[in-house]
Amino acid sequence: MIRATRFDAYRLMHEGTLALAEVEAAGIRVDEARLTSTINHVQQEIDKLTHALMNTNEWKIWCKLYGDKARLTSRVQLGSVLSAMGFQLPKTETGRLRTDEDSLRELNTSFVDRFLQLEKLRKLKSTYLVGILREVQDGYVHPCFSLNLVRSYRSSSDHPNFQNVPVRSKDISKLIRTCFIPRQGRLLVEIDYKALEVHISAVYHQDPVLIEYLTDPERDMHRDLAMECFLLDRDNVTKEARFYAKNCFVFPQFYGSYWAQCAPNLWKVTQDVKTSCGISLREHLQSKGIRTYEQFERHIESVEHAFWGERFRVYAKWKRDWYEEYCHNGYFDMLTGFRVEGVYERNDVINYPIQGTAFHCLLWSLIQLLKWLRKNRMQTLIVGQIHDSILADVVPSELNDYLAAAKRIMTVDIKEHWKWLNVPLAVEAEASDKTWFDKQPIEIA
């Protein structure tokens, strides 16, 4: 496999820095009135929730323990309060009470649930909404995109951090993304690579089973693992069951997690997620003989064993060999020509080449797309990027040409540029004439 050279890596970094400066200069439009209104609304919710929490028995106990040092923002204090009330919290290796979100939610108390909601609202306001408003100039923000701050050679963003806008929580995502709007008479269009890092991992390890999953439209890796994790027949796998198998088992496994970390999250969703027959996954598992969490944990351990020991044996061997080579050399080289030196954890050594190379595919595509826009004297502007996606302010009359050019550059031209890209790449697009949150899928001809 022919890798890029160190000079190729430098050239990508140089051209990428210039391209991202152009993106930064373009800026993305903000609905400043809506943003201000949203901040005020969130503050009102914070005040109401704070007042409600301070009128509980839990807060009385809190104040009795800490007096005038009582702080409703302190998880350490919360842990002590809950312990004093008789709740059993797990402990860290150093003996401190665990007060991470998962541990707290396991207690299933309304006070804790409202405390965590208050934390989220405070972060939403200070980190995201106020952080965005602080950077607005003449109705636009101009996020900085840097290529020299991340050890995996991905990009970073600040002022504001455009790559850290929540998407998993629909409510929070809506509050933030509805504040980003297209320029007058234009569309916000986001084009992103589909499962880019999975495809890039296959380029490195060349596992024939994973490559078959990526090239055969009839095969579905996440559906198959939903069948195994939840003991389902193929026709009984719902979209929701597939989603949780993908995000609570497949991707965590690829990124270095293991059965003891995957099992709790999978078990948690079995209570609410249903089969296509309408019963909960928990009930279905019970009918298959798995009645306790301990039984389910052992089952997920066996699924993991088959995942790496049978299904993806070649991938597993590559991970072992790649890490051993790093330990011997003290560095590893990416296919894009970048060398990563230094002391890293095992998961970092395995994940960084995949994450970095995947981003370099996006960066190369962004550079070429900007060149195409200039060459064809288009008015469309690229206004942001998030690791595997490109956000643009598109003139409606240029939409079809822009989409066609982006698809060609991102899936065809890039494979001509980097011959080692021997797996298919695919992109999808969404567009909106209202807000970033309101974007809907559109076809690319």
Side-chain angles (χ1 to χ4, degrees):
M1 187 180 293
I2 301 175
R3 300 170 184 265
T5 66
R6 302 286 288 278
F7 177 75
D8 293 328
Y10 164 77
R11 184 166 56 188
L12 179 68
M13 188 74 75
H14 181 85
E15 292 186 359
T17 300
L18 296 176
L20 290 174
E22 191 173 331
V23 173
E24 178 183 336
I28 182 169
R29 191 179 175 206
V30 173
D31 186 338
E32 203 166 349
R34 185 185 188 102
L35 178 56
T36 302
S37 174
T38 301
I39 290 172
N40 292 335
H41 168 71
V42 171
Q43 183 59 54
Q44 290 172 5
E45 293 299 309
I46 289 172
D47 293 340
K48 285 195 295 185
L49 199 48
T50 301
H51 178 75
L53 286 169
M54 287 184 167
N55 281 278
T56 61
N57 289 329
E58 288 89 344
W59 180 246
K60 290 178 182 177
I61 295 171
W62 198 317
C63 291
K64 189 177 292 186
L65 283 174
Y66 288 98
D68 58 4
K69 293 183 179 179
R71 297 289 181 269
L72 196 52
T73 56
S74 172
R75 282 202 187 190
V76 173
Q77 291 185 8
L78 173 64
S80 298
V81 171
L82 293 170
S83 181
M85 293 176 64
F87 288 101
Q88 297 296 316
L89 280 167
K91 293 184 178 181
T92 65
E93 292 180 358
T94 58
R96 298 183 64 179
L97 295 173
R98 292 184 64 90
T99 55
D100 57 280
E101 184 169 345
D102 287 341
S103 298
L104 290 172
R105 288 206 182 278
E106 283 294 320
L107 301 178
N108 196 27
T109 75
S110 61
F111 182 86
V112 167
D113 289 344
R114 286 184 291 175
F115 175 90
L116 293 173
Q117 178 63 15
L118 179 60
E119 275 192 337
K120 288 184 178 179
L121 289 174
R122 284 172 170 157
K123 183 174 182 179
L124 169 63
K125 180 193 171 190
S126 61
T127 301
Y128 300 114
L129 298 172
V130 172
I132 294 169
L133 183 62
R134 187 187 304 120
E135 302 300 331
V136 175
Q137 294 291 329
D138 300 324
Y140 292 83
V141 292
H142 301 267
C144 298
F145 296 100
S146 302
L147 296 176
N148 64 326
L149 300 177
V150 182
R151 300 175 85 184
S152 64
Y153 290 107
R154 296 172 92 189
S155 64
S156 61
S157 176
D158 56 76
H159 295 89
N161 186 346
F162 193 71
Q163 297 173 338
N164 191 35
V165 179
V167 67
R168 296 207 170 184
S169 170
K170 188 174 181 180
D171 292 339
I172 291 178
S173 175
K174 182 176 182 179
L175 288 171
I176 301 172
R177 292 184 177 226
T178 49
C179 297
F180 291 100
I181 57 177
R183 287 164 167 79
Q184 189 68 36
R186 296 196 181 196
L187 304 167
L188 278 181
V189 177
E190 188 167 3
I191 299 178
D192 72 282
Y193 277 110
K194 295 171 64 175
L196 179 58
E197 290 187 4
V198 176
H199 286 73
I200 294 302
S201 77
V203 177
Y204 275 94
H205 55 67
Q206 291 293 299
D207 189 302
V209 178
L210 184 55
I211 290 174
E212 188 174 352
Y213 271 122
L214 298 176
T215 55
D216 184 353
E218 297 299 315
R219 301 199 64 184
D220 186 335
M221 173 171 52
H222 307 306
R223 178 199 63 211
D224 289 354
L225 267 298
M227 292 168 61
E228 292 190 23
C229 288
F230 303 123
L231 298 177
L232 295 166
D233 296 328
R234 176 170 175 168
D235 294 337
N236 223 0
V237 177
T238 62
K239 184 177 181 181
E240 205 172 6
R242 180 187 181 278
F243 172 85
Y244 285 110
K246 170 185 174 181
N247 291 286
C248 295
F249 184 82
V250 178
F251 282 172
Q253 288 286 326
F254 282 165
Y255 285 112
S257 187
Y258 76 114
W259 58 269
Q261 295 169 321
C262 296
N265 295 325
L266 288 167
W267 180 250
K268 191 182 302 182
V269 304
T270 60
Q271 189 67 52
D272 300 315
V273 177
K274 299 184 183 302
T275 70
S276 60
C277 297
I279 65 171
S280 72
L281 290 175
R282 184 77 57 88
E283 292 176 280
H284 170 75
L285 287 166
Q286 288 172 349
S287 73
K288 297 290 185 179
I290 297 180
R291 293 180 170 81
T292 67
Y293 171 72
E294 288 72 22
Q295 291 174 320
F296 182 73
E297 189 178 58
R298 288 196 297 272
H299 166 63
I300 295 302
E301 183 180 7
S302 69
V303 172
E304 181 190 273
H305 180 77
F307 187 83
W308 291 115
E310 300 172 21
R311 191 186 299 271
F312 297 124
R313 292 192 305 270
V314 175
Y315 192 168
K317 183 178 185 303
W318 174 82
K319 291 200 296 182
R320 292 192 299 270
D321 293 346
W322 183 265
Y323 183 66
E324 286 176 8
E325 187 175 350
Y326 157 75
C327 290
H328 177 74
N329 295 329
Y331 66 85
F332 56 86
D333 291 324
M334 297 184 186
L335 290 168
T336 45
F338 292 84
R339 173 165 291 183
V340 181
E341 299 176 294
V343 179
Y344 296 94
E345 298 291 337
R346 184 177 186 276
N347 282 347
D348 293 337
V349 174
I350 292 166
N351 292 329
Y352 281 5
I354 296 169
Q355 293 173 347
T357 303
F359 169 69
H360 298 153
C361 290
L362 189 283
L363 181 61
W364 185 89
S365 297
L366 186 149
I367 293 167
Q368 306 311 313
L369 194 50
L370 280 171
K371 290 179 180 179
W372 178 85
L373 288 170
R374 287 196 297 270
K375 179 180 178 181
N376 291 277
R377 299 184 179 181
M378 296 287 188
Q379 293 178 292
T380 290
L381 299 168
I382 295 178
V383 296
Q385 60 86 15
I386 308 177
H387 301 315
D388 62 357
S389 72
I390 296 172
L391 186 66
D393 222 335
V394 180
V395 176
S397 61
E398 299 175 357
L399 177 62
N400 290 335
D401 289 338
Y402 172 76
L403 292 174
K407 181 179 180 180
R408 186 195 72 247
I409 289 168
M410 297 172 77
T411 63
V412 179
D413 294 355
I414 193 169
K415 295 181 72 175
E416 288 297 315
H417 176 70
W418 280 321
K419 303 296 185 183
W420 44 262
L421 270 170
N422 56 0
V423 297
L425 299 177
V427 295
E428 52 193 3
E430 295 177 300
S432 172
D433 61 356
K434 297 181 179 68
T435 76
W436 191 16
F437 177 79
D438 294 304
K439 57 191 174 72
Q440 295 295 321
I442 55 173
E443 289 189 16
I444 305 178

